[in-house]
Amino acid sequence: MEWRKKEKTIKEITSMCTSFAVHLDKTFIGMNFDISRRPIKIIMIGEDQLLVLQNDDGQFYPAFGLNSSGTFMNLLMVDSIEEGKYRRGKNCVHIMKLFDEILSGRIELSQLSEYLTNNVIVNVPSHSVHSLIAGRNRKTYIVEPGRKNIDINSSDRDFMVLTNFPVSDNFNNEYKNVEGPGKDRYIKAYEVITNNIETFNIETGLNLLKGTAQQSGDYPTQISLIFVPEESKVHFTLNGDFTKIFEFSFIHKQIQSFEGFTSNKSLKLTKKGVLLSELEDW
């Protein structure tokens, strides 16, 4: 992709988002993609990668993605620190390369812990992000360049939440005492999951996203989704409107109207992709 050819700062490739992974009998991975208004598209890469791209200065760049193996990875804004800044060096890997390696399956989640031990993850030039990397079978990590990486098995709980403050800096804090951008959304998401941990399902996840969606400001919610790897399906809504729910199936490579529509519609997803504005007309 073009971003791999240009080592450039990608303005607002990241955003003020809310994301989570809940591990029960099934895995529930959710995200609100909150970013300033712009063209956004969903595309298929090959047979197994679903990417959400955002437009910046006429070019589309990856914002987050998931694959048919059940792996999800996002890129969220976080305060920068010197140790996480872009640099070249032995075993230094910038996070956009990690994004590509993870979603392409060249690095499987079962290998990620060892990979993170043997490599230093840094940011792209002049930018600062952290990532929720999640999959089935409790394979979930928070990767924070220049800070400590966290895996769910060290968290002593069945879920992880990521917004826009460094989780590793708050790891030993009570959840109500976390500090930084997105803490209100983090606390709300944490409490919804905790209060519904025995019965958490797609509906619970969508309600969580509805409760943490941003309807105004610089980063309104553009798309909200729940991914259930065991079902190979994604349910999503647009623009904070939770009355209409779309479904994407990795089995059929197809987006279809699922709930709240006046008529049934479907679209085969390809590398060309579809703009969210096109789906809004359904």
Side-chain angles (χ1 to χ4, degrees):
M1 283 190 177
E2 191 67 20
W3 56 264
R4 287 185 347 210
K5 299 175 184 177
K6 300 178 183 177
E7 286 186 349
K8 61 167 282 185
T9 301
I10 303 172
K11 184 181 179 183
E12 289 195 290
I13 190 172
T14 50
S15 48
M16 301 293 283
C17 304
T18 303
S19 57
F20 62 85
V22 179
H23 294 275
L24 302 171
D25 292 339
K26 293 181 180 179
T27 305
F28 301 92
I29 302 168
M31 177 164 162
N32 276 336
F33 181 42
D34 307 338
I35 196 168
S36 59
R37 298 289 182 191
R38 66 194 52 222
I40 296 169
K41 69 165 62 173
I42 307 173
I43 70 169
M44 280 293 296
I45 299 294
E47 293 294 308
D48 57 6
Q49 286 188 66
L50 180 75
L51 299 185
V52 175
L53 312 181
Q54 60 86 30
N55 188 285
D56 179 51
D57 292 334
Q59 295 283 340
F60 279 95
Y61 300 100
F64 65 95
L66 44 149
N67 65 29
S68 61
S69 297
T71 301
F72 168 95
M73 182 171 176
N74 61 16
L75 303 156
L76 308 189
M77 278 191 209
V78 70
D79 287 342
S80 66
I81 56 172
E82 190 65 31
E83 294 86 344
K85 290 183 178 179
Y86 177 78
R87 64 185 184 274
R88 297 178 184 272
K90 184 179 180 181
N91 299 329
C92 278
V93 177
H94 69 69
I95 199 159
M96 292 305 296
K97 179 179 180 182
L98 180 65
F99 181 90
D100 186 46
E101 297 277 285
I102 289 287
L103 292 178
S104 68
R106 289 191 291 273
I107 299 174
E108 297 181 2
L109 286 192
S110 60
Q111 304 168 316
L112 184 56
S113 181
E114 181 180 0
Y115 185 89
L116 294 174
T117 299
N118 294 330
N119 293 277
V120 177
I121 309 302
V122 297
N123 279 293
V124 295
S126 304
H127 212 69
S128 182
V129 305
H130 59 179
S131 295
L132 177 70
I133 304 175
R136 64 185 83 195
N137 300 324
R138 291 182 60 85
K139 297 297 184 184
T140 291
Y141 302 80
I142 291 175
V143 174
E144 300 189 309
R147 298 180 169 98
K148 182 180 178 181
N149 302 315
I150 302 168
D151 70 85
I152 193 169
N153 293 320
S154 67
S155 70
D156 194 33
R157 53 181 181 260
D158 293 324
F159 65 93
M160 300 186 87
V161 178
L162 186 68
T163 57
N164 301 102
F165 63 85
V167 174
S168 56
D169 290 356
N170 288 267
F171 191 68
N172 294 319
N173 293 346
E174 175 71 18
Y175 79 92
K176 290 185 178 180
N177 297 325
V178 297
E179 292 294 336
K183 69 175 184 179
D184 292 343
R185 287 178 280 114
Y186 179 93
I187 291 169
K188 184 177 291 187
Y190 195 108
E191 290 181 341
V192 170
I193 296 171
T194 301
N195 293 336
N196 296 276
I197 195 64
E198 299 295 332
T199 58
F200 199 95
N201 56 24
I202 291 172
E203 182 179 3
T204 311
L206 288 171
N207 284 334
L208 186 164
L209 293 173
K210 183 178 181 180
T212 55
Q214 301 188 83
Q215 302 292 351
S216 60
D218 294 333
Y219 299 95
T221 298
Q222 307 288 333
I223 183 170
S224 305
L225 64 85
I226 297 289
F227 178 34
V228 184
E230 291 84 357
E231 297 179 358
S232 297
K233 290 181 180 179
V234 180
H235 291 89
F236 66 94
T237 66
L238 304 178
N239 301 321
D241 178 7
F242 288 79
T243 64
K244 290 183 177 181
I245 301 173
F246 299 80
E247 181 184 84
F248 170 79
S249 165
F250 273 109
I251 296 171
H252 302 294
K253 313 294 189 296
Q254 181 173 283
I255 294 173
Q256 65 182 31
S257 53
F258 182 74
E259 185 177 301
F261 296 87
T262 56
S263 60
N264 295 325
K265 294 192 176 183
S266 62
L267 173 72
K268 193 81 170 180
L269 199 56
T270 66
K271 187 175 182 179
K272 180 181 178 182
V274 60
L275 290 167
L276 298 193
S277 58
E278 297 176 68
L279 295 177
E280 289 170 6
D281 293 333
W282 282 23

